[in-house]
Amino acid sequence: MKKSCFVIMGYGIKNNINLDLTYSKIIKPCIIKNELVPYHLFEDNKYNAYRCDEITGSAAIDYKFITCLSEADVVIADISTMNINAIYELGARHALKPRSTIILCAKEDEHRFNFFDLTYVPIIFYNHEGARLGAEAIKETQTRLNALLDFAINSESVVPDNPIYRALSERDTYQNFMPPERQSLYELYLNGRNFLDDSEYEKAIAILFELYEQDSTEENLLLLVLAQYKFAEATNNSRLLIECINSIKEKVDIDSSVSEHLLGRVAAIYLRLFNLLEEETYYYLALEYYRRGACYSRQNYYCPRNYCALLLRIYEITDDPNVIIEHYYTAKHYAKLYLNSSADALKDGSYEERVYYYYNVCDLKAIVAGEYSNYEKLQERLNSDEGISIRQRNTIKIGIEKLYNDIAEMNHKTKLF
């Protein structure tokens, strides 16, 4: 008797990726080659199909996909575009069946693949050019998918291939095991944050390094990098700053990143190198990474604020009046654009995010106006805000004071030309 197959994935074009191409050029040919049939959901086979959106009949959609997830011998899940329905269905399949679930994901979305629970599950990452699939990518992906399908169909293995059943199967192993005393991930996170906020950077680095080793998420990497950066900044150590950049490059592909937080952190390190060494190369690197981070900014205007503020520091690089005037008005232009864009901090941000948002907005408005209309009140409010740490307060205060002076300097220079 032929085994059945069900496919979890979106359809059409989502996030600039043509999912129908993946289905028609890669997944369906492999299904046919391995003689898999749609799950027998209805007696009349004309109503059955591999993909849920292709299944006809009047049955409720949740009945269709839950039954197929539960009963199909093999499930292929393409989670390219990180479609929430596909992710939910994959989790349901893992909870319902111990094995024979195969995952695919377009490499274009690999940077967004931060699923800790799927770290040890085999995943086929494939090249998808968005509107087309190259012949080599199709051939390579088909080969890998056929190999996993052959194993799922013909292997007599009873070993679970998903994290839920694997953990349950190992439960007896751990019940009588007394683990050594160690901090939980959350305890490491809290202690690392506390040491960071108390400016005990070496202690923060040690704890956050352990946290990142155990849970390699972007958030934990950014905390570790922040601690390393602050330690290097406190000791005016340019070598440590360069090592910090190299450490990031070892862990992530910066040049293809669309994370405003990561790009902003890299920009801050390059800016600190410029402050220490006064080499214009670092100025332009910082400017470029802040600009790129601003393109993806959604939270609290951190990158937009710093991009515009850094444009106003061009007078530290050159005396050319044309360049200075260009940067001066570019800063004003982009500050206006950013102020008219939306920020998530107002809708669902933490208190800390809202604080950063407020002061970044004040800074952008000052850049547009060419002055702070409420500089003294701004300082008073900052000094009285007990909801943020001393480190955060000092960071904001130094930024405001520097921008205040840079605006005054640029106003003076542009009036001379």
Side-chain angles (χ1 to χ4, degrees), residues 88-316:
Y88 174 83
E89 290 170 25
L90 173 60
R93 169 68 179 187
H94 278 170
L96 292 166
K97 283 281 189 178
R99 64 190 66 84
S100 301
T101 303
I102 300 168
I103 306 173
L104 291 85
C105 183
K107 282 187 177 178
E108 287 73 12
D109 284 314
E110 189 172 0
H111 66 276
R112 299 167 60 201
F113 196 92
N114 295 318
F115 300 103
F116 175 75
D117 295 321
L118 296 179
T119 303
Y120 304 105
V121 176
I123 299 165
I124 300 175
F125 287 103
Y126 64 97
N127 287 310
H128 199 310
E129 297 175 30
R132 65 181 293 274
L133 278 167
E136 189 64 32
I138 293 172
K139 181 180 178 182
E140 179 188 342
T141 311
Q142 283 185 352
T143 299
R144 296 168 66 191
L145 180 54
N146 280 324
L148 290 180
L149 284 172
D150 178 66
F151 183 84
I153 295 166
N154 301 309
S155 173
E156 296 180 359
S157 172
V158 296
V159 178
D161 66 6
N162 77 59
I164 295 175
Y165 278 87
R166 186 172 59 244
L168 292 174
S169 69
E170 296 171 350
R171 181 169 49 188
D172 292 340
T173 305
Y174 291 101
Q175 277 184 337
N176 298 319
F177 174 70
M178 293 294 292
E181 286 191 19
R182 61 190 300 181
Q183 296 182 73
S184 68
L185 291 177
Y186 189 58
E187 286 173 331
L188 288 171
Y189 171 80
L190 286 180
N191 289 334
R193 285 293 303 262
N194 288 335
F195 281 129
L196 186 58
D197 287 338
D198 292 339
S199 301
E200 297 187 55
Y201 301 126
E202 289 183 277
K203 292 180 180 179
I205 290 170
I207 289 177
L208 293 173
F209 181 82
E210 184 180 348
L211 174 63
Y212 182 73
E213 287 287 295
Q214 294 185 43
D215 186 14
S216 302
T217 63
E218 182 183 283
E219 180 186 6
N220 292 337
L221 173 61
L222 289 171
L223 278 174
L224 173 59
V225 170
L226 179 60
Q228 293 171 329
Y229 160 68
K230 286 296 183 181
F231 177 68
E233 182 183 48
T235 56
N236 289 325
N237 192 320
S238 58
R239 179 182 62 81
L240 288 178
L241 289 168
I242 293 171
E243 287 179 0
C244 196
I245 290 287
N246 292 335
S247 175
I248 297 173
K249 289 181 177 179
E250 288 173 4
K251 296 175 175 66
V252 294
D253 183 0
I254 299 175
D255 292 329
S256 64
S257 176
V258 294
S259 166
E260 60 175 306
H261 304 292
L262 180 62
L263 294 169
R265 196 62 42 85
V266 172
I269 297 171
Y270 278 127
L271 179 56
R272 186 59 187 169
L273 281 167
F274 168 68
N275 291 338
L276 286 175
L277 304 177
E278 297 182 352
E279 293 183 16
E280 66 178 64
T281 299
Y282 293 126
Y283 170 85
Y284 287 112
L285 281 168
L287 194 65
E288 173 60 14
Y289 279 106
Y290 276 135
R291 184 195 66 79
R292 286 177 52 195
C295 293
Y296 306 108
S297 178
R298 293 184 57 83
Q299 195 62 34
N300 60 23
Y301 292 148
Y302 170 79
C303 283
R305 180 268 179 209
N306 284 300
Y307 172 61
C308 293
L310 193 53
L311 282 167
L312 295 182
R313 293 183 61 180
I314 189 64
Y315 70 89
E316 299 177 34

Side-chain angles (χ1 to χ4, degrees), residues 32-70:
I32 302 302
K33 180 177 180 178
N34 288 275
E35 299 183 342
L36 292 164
V37 297
Y39 175 70
H40 196 69
L41 190 64
F42 302 108
E43 284 300 320
D44 192 337
N45 273 329
K46 72 179 181 181
Y47 298 117
N48 298 321
Y50 297 110
R51 210 165 65 171
C52 194
D53 61 279
E54 295 180 336
I55 299 174
T56 55
S58 59
I61 191 168
D62 55 349
Y63 167 77
K64 295 175 186 177
F65 79 77
I66 290 175
T67 304
C68 291
L69 289 173
S70 174

Side-chain angles (χ1 to χ4, degrees), residues 399-415:
I400 291 174
E401 290 174 350
K402 175 61 178 166
L403 180 58
Y404 178 87
N405 293 327
D406 289 335
I407 290 173
E409 184 66 25
M410 287 293 275
N411 286 339
H412 173 70
K413 286 188 175 295
T414 53
K415 287 177 182 177

Side-chain angles (χ1 to χ4, degrees), residues 355-374:
V355 168
Y356 280 118
Y357 167 81
Y358 173 79
Y359 290 106
N360 287 335
V361 166
C362 290
D363 288 349
L364 287 170
K365 287 181 176 179
I367 291 170
V368 172
E371 63 178 351
Y372 280 96
S373 60
N374 56 349

Side-chain angles (χ1 to χ4, degrees), residues 22-38:
T22 302
Y23 182 58
S24 63
K25 299 291 186 182
I26 295 175
I27 295 176
K28 198 162 186 179
C30 291
I31 290 174
I32 302 302
K33 180 177 180 178
N34 288 275
E35 299 183 342
L36 292 164
V37 297

